[in-house]
Amino acid sequence: MLTPRRKILLAGLVIFLVFGALAIFASPLSARNLEARLQDAADEALYSVRAEGWAEVRMDGQVAIVTGLAPDQDAQSRALDAVSRAAWAGGIVAGGITRVIDETRVDLQDTRFRLRADLIGSRLTLSGFAPDAVGQARLNDLAVLLFPGRASVDVQLAPGGAPANWEAAARLMLGELARLDTGSAVMAGDRLVVTGLSTNAQTVASVRSAMSNSPAGYVATALVRAPGGTYEAEITDFRLCEAAVNAALGPRPVAFTPGSAQLNEASRNTLRRAGEAFARCDTPPLGVAVQVNEGEGGEALALDRARSVIEAMSAAGLEEDRFLASTLPADGITALRFEIQAPVEAQQDTGAEPVSAPEVGEDDPQ
């Protein structure tokens, strides 16, 4: 027979076990419920950057594993970044995503060799491809040297496909960008563009001069200026023009108000800069295509959005007949594309590639 003292101890043990089971299996912070909550947050994060069509995420506790074939490196980076920010990574107690494992791959079949660098707030973000591990390591070292403690590098290996002198072109790109106060640079195949601002007029002139002496085999230009100044470059090469537009767009997404063709103010400013870059081009019209969303206005809204993009770019002093509005299929991957139709004499140039904007998104309805 149990004594009263043992009965009290036994009852306490039962209560402890019951509450322990509730904490493990039924509370919001239980392992099962926490994982389900993080799964929902990660899925929503992929949807927010329109990566749900190619990317999948699964949770292993508080670790997110992202898989899928990305259309390009920019889309891959946006998806991984969105998942990492889906729930505050405050550790086990806070219940956030503590780690993201990247098991995605990039579809290189239709992607020309490229690099992209963005200098914002004195911090560098470098992404793209390197054809060999040695060049990849040297590029990383250069970024760290030029931007100590301020460089985020995500350069992947993509054996083959790089033009000759790619490393010299990449070093030129980073070196000249480092002299600016803010800007972006794009290497697309054998085309190279640096764009941005410097408060020092001598620096502006020096960067322009350096870019006019690009490595052999490269066509390059500098769209740089002092605040209030103008670009002086004249671009007649249509692929170089596409790269210039891409660089001027910067890394941030173009966003519309949900269900409408209205652009937010940041997107209008971004597109005006892209228009200023296109204003330096003596090329055929620039095609602007927006993806159709069948559940949100369909083709009519997509065309209206393309016209809104054209209107924003035209604010740089361009006539609207320098643009062509069109749509992209709903089942495609690219949400916004800029493309210059190759001149007849360049139709055989298989390196031609349309420019896709970082992303088209929608403002938070709140």
Side-chain angles (χ1 to χ4, degrees):
M1 182 178 294
L2 296 174
T3 64
R5 182 172 180 275
R6 288 183 176 179
K7 288 181 179 179
I8 293 174
L9 289 175
L10 182 59
L13 177 60
V14 171
I15 293 172
F16 174 79
L17 292 175
V18 169
F19 276 99
L22 288 173
I24 293 173
F25 299 107
S27 77
L29 293 180
S30 71
R32 182 175 60 188
N33 290 341
L34 175 59
E35 186 174 273
R37 179 173 63 82
L38 295 181
Q39 181 70 58
D40 289 342
D43 288 338
E44 181 63 28
L46 290 180
Y47 179 80
S48 71
V49 294
R50 301 199 176 193
E52 76 282 1
W54 65 264
E56 293 184 359
V57 59
R58 70 179 189 277
M59 296 303 306
D60 182 5
Q62 291 178 245
V63 176
I65 303 168
V66 185
T67 59
L69 183 64
D72 54 52
Q73 201 273 337
D74 289 337
Q76 180 192 48
S77 297
R78 286 195 299 274
L80 296 174
D81 183 64
V83 170
S84 70
R85 298 171 184 271
W88 178 48
I92 296 174
V93 175
I97 293 176
T98 57
R99 182 184 174 199
V100 176
I101 297 177
D102 176 18
E103 293 186 357
T104 62
R105 295 177 297 115
V106 177
D107 183 3
L108 297 180
Q109 185 175 7
D110 297 317
T111 302
R112 191 168 64 244
F113 180 85
R114 63 192 174 81
L115 284 169
R116 181 183 184 98
D118 295 289
L119 178 60
I120 300 175
S122 79
R123 299 193 62 84
L124 173 76
T125 301
L126 176 64
S127 61
F129 305 105
D132 58 77
V134 173
Q136 179 190 42
R138 284 200 291 248
L139 201 58
N140 182 79
D141 291 344
L142 178 62
V144 172
L145 177 66
L146 293 174
F147 303 89
R150 300 177 287 117
S152 174
V153 180
D154 183 17
V155 175
Q156 299 182 6
L157 281 176
N165 297 322
W166 79 270
E167 189 175 342
R171 297 181 73 87
L172 173 66
M173 178 180 82
L174 288 183
E176 297 311 309
L177 186 63
R179 303 170 67 186
L180 302 177
D181 299 317
T182 184
S184 296
V186 168
M187 182 194 299
D190 55 5
R191 268 56 173 180
L192 178 61
V193 176
V194 172
T195 183
L197 299 173
S198 173
T199 56
N200 188 312
Q202 289 183 329
T203 297
V204 170
S206 180
V207 172
R208 289 171 176 170
S209 176
M211 293 298 294
S212 69
N213 292 287
S214 57
Y218 276 82
V219 180
T221 193
L223 294 176
V224 295
R225 63 187 180 187
T230 60
Y231 300 138
E232 293 186 0
E234 296 294 338
I235 304 173
T236 57
D237 181 283
F238 78 100
R239 285 203 288 145
L240 185 63
C241 181
E242 288 179 342
V245 171
N246 193 20
L249 283 169
R252 295 191 174 93
V254 174
F256 296 95
T257 300
S260 82
Q262 183 176 351
L263 291 157
N264 64 22
E265 189 62 26
S267 294
R268 295 191 72 85
N269 291 336
T270 294
L271 289 165
R272 180 188 175 94
R273 289 196 303 271
E276 290 170 348
F278 184 56
R280 308 310 304 177
C281 297
D282 182 11
T283 62
L286 179 68
V288 178
V290 175
Q291 187 177 42
V292 172
N293 186 334
E294 297 294 353
E296 189 191 45
E299 185 172 349
L301 179 58
L303 277 173
D304 285 344
R305 286 178 167 178
R307 294 185 187 106
S308 290
V309 170
I310 291 172
E311 179 185 2
M313 294 182 71
S314 297
L318 293 161
E319 296 294 331
E320 292 194 7
D321 62 5
R322 292 206 58 191
F323 301 89
L324 298 172
S326 62
T327 63
L328 295 169
D331 58 355
I333 296 174
T334 302
L336 173 62
R337 172 175 290 178
F338 296 89
E339 181 179 9
I340 297 175
Q341 182 64 43
V344 174
E345 61 271 19
Q347 292 289 337
Q348 301 302 317
D349 183 356
T350 57
E353 180 185 74
V355 174
S356 296
E359 186 59 85
V360 169
E362 292 184 336
D363 294 339
D364 187 334
Q366 297 181 349

XYZ file of all heavy atoms in Angstrom, residues 47 50 290-299 301-302 305 328-330 362:
146
model
N 6.566 31.716 -52.577
C 5.475 32.308 -53.362
C 5.675 33.814 -53.510
O 5.387 34.387 -54.572
C 4.138 32.006 -52.694
C 2.938 32.585 -53.418
C 2.408 31.941 -54.542
C 2.354 33.765 -52.993
C 1.323 32.478 -55.220
C 1.266 34.306 -53.662
C 0.757 33.661 -54.772
O -0.315 34.200 -55.436
N 7.822 34.499 -56.315
C 7.396 33.769 -57.499
C 8.347 32.636 -57.870
O 8.650 32.403 -59.046
C 7.194 34.721 -58.675
C 6.159 35.786 -58.377
C 5.619 36.431 -59.618
N 4.566 37.389 -59.299
C 3.744 37.918 -60.178
N 3.842 37.583 -61.448
N 2.815 38.791 -59.812
N 5.391 41.395 -69.847
C 5.006 41.056 -68.474
C 4.210 39.757 -68.488
O 3.387 39.530 -69.382
C 4.173 42.187 -67.834
C 3.665 41.786 -66.454
C 5.013 43.463 -67.740
N 4.457 38.934 -67.502
C 3.797 37.631 -67.433
C 2.301 37.762 -67.157
O 1.864 38.568 -66.345
C 4.442 36.786 -66.339
C 3.953 35.352 -66.286
C 4.683 34.554 -65.227
O 4.918 35.022 -64.126
N 5.061 33.324 -65.567
N 1.522 36.940 -67.839
C 0.081 36.887 -67.628
C -0.219 36.119 -66.348
O 0.376 35.078 -66.084
C -0.620 36.194 -68.819
C -2.098 35.967 -68.518
C -0.440 37.016 -70.089
N -1.117 36.659 -65.536
C -1.601 35.971 -64.343
C -3.088 35.737 -64.536
O -3.891 36.666 -64.445
C -1.338 36.825 -63.087
C -1.683 36.086 -61.804
O -2.529 35.189 -61.790
N -1.037 36.476 -60.712
N -3.455 34.489 -64.815
C -4.835 34.183 -65.162
C -5.815 34.513 -64.039
O -6.974 34.829 -64.276
C -4.966 32.695 -65.537
C -4.170 32.297 -66.772
C -4.693 32.959 -68.048
O -5.746 33.614 -68.000
O -4.028 32.826 -69.094
N -5.349 34.438 -62.818
C -6.243 34.720 -61.707
C -6.286 36.182 -61.321
O -6.911 36.556 -60.325
N -5.635 37.034 -62.104
C -5.540 38.444 -61.725
C -5.527 39.322 -62.974
O -4.540 39.960 -63.315
C -4.267 38.673 -60.909
C -4.170 40.056 -60.272
C -2.786 40.295 -59.713
O -1.794 39.983 -60.399
O -2.698 40.805 -58.591
N -6.633 39.335 -63.684
C -6.740 40.242 -64.810
C -6.278 39.686 -66.128
O -6.527 40.290 -67.178
N -5.559 38.570 -66.119
C -5.158 37.926 -67.356
C -4.297 38.789 -68.258
O -3.515 39.630 -67.815
N -4.456 38.594 -69.560
C -3.611 39.268 -70.550
C -3.821 40.778 -70.547
O -2.860 41.542 -70.736
C -3.912 38.704 -71.937
C -3.005 39.265 -73.020
C -3.188 38.560 -74.350
O -3.856 37.507 -74.370
O -2.665 39.064 -75.354
N -4.441 42.812 -68.019
C -3.677 43.431 -66.944
C -2.182 43.350 -67.232
O -1.439 44.307 -66.966
C -3.991 42.754 -65.606
C -3.224 43.312 -64.398
C -3.486 44.810 -64.230
C -3.613 42.556 -63.122
N -1.730 42.229 -67.795
C -0.310 42.103 -68.132
C 0.115 43.185 -69.117
O 1.179 43.796 -68.984
C -0.028 40.712 -68.688
N 0.295 46.489 -67.373
C 1.518 46.577 -66.567
C 2.736 46.856 -67.443
O 3.618 47.635 -67.062
C 1.697 45.292 -65.759
C 0.723 45.195 -64.587
C 0.867 43.903 -63.807
N 0.150 43.994 -62.536
C 0.048 43.010 -61.652
N 0.614 41.842 -61.914
N -0.607 43.197 -60.524
N 3.974 37.676 -71.504
C 4.654 36.397 -71.379
C 3.647 35.352 -70.919
O 2.696 35.676 -70.203
C 5.798 36.491 -70.366
C 6.961 37.413 -70.741
C 7.878 37.620 -69.540
C 7.746 36.848 -71.912
N 3.819 34.095 -71.283
C 2.845 33.070 -70.900
C 2.769 32.883 -69.394
O 3.751 33.049 -68.672
C 3.368 31.805 -71.596
C 4.809 32.076 -71.870
C 4.917 33.545 -72.107
N 1.573 32.506 -68.936
C 1.339 32.342 -67.500
C 2.148 31.201 -66.916
O 2.483 31.214 -65.720
C -0.153 32.118 -67.248
N 4.472 42.151 -56.192
C 3.341 42.985 -55.832
C 3.563 43.537 -54.449
O 4.173 42.893 -53.574
C 2.046 42.186 -55.882
C 1.663 41.778 -57.274
C 0.328 41.069 -57.326
O -0.093 40.505 -56.301
O -0.276 41.084 -58.397
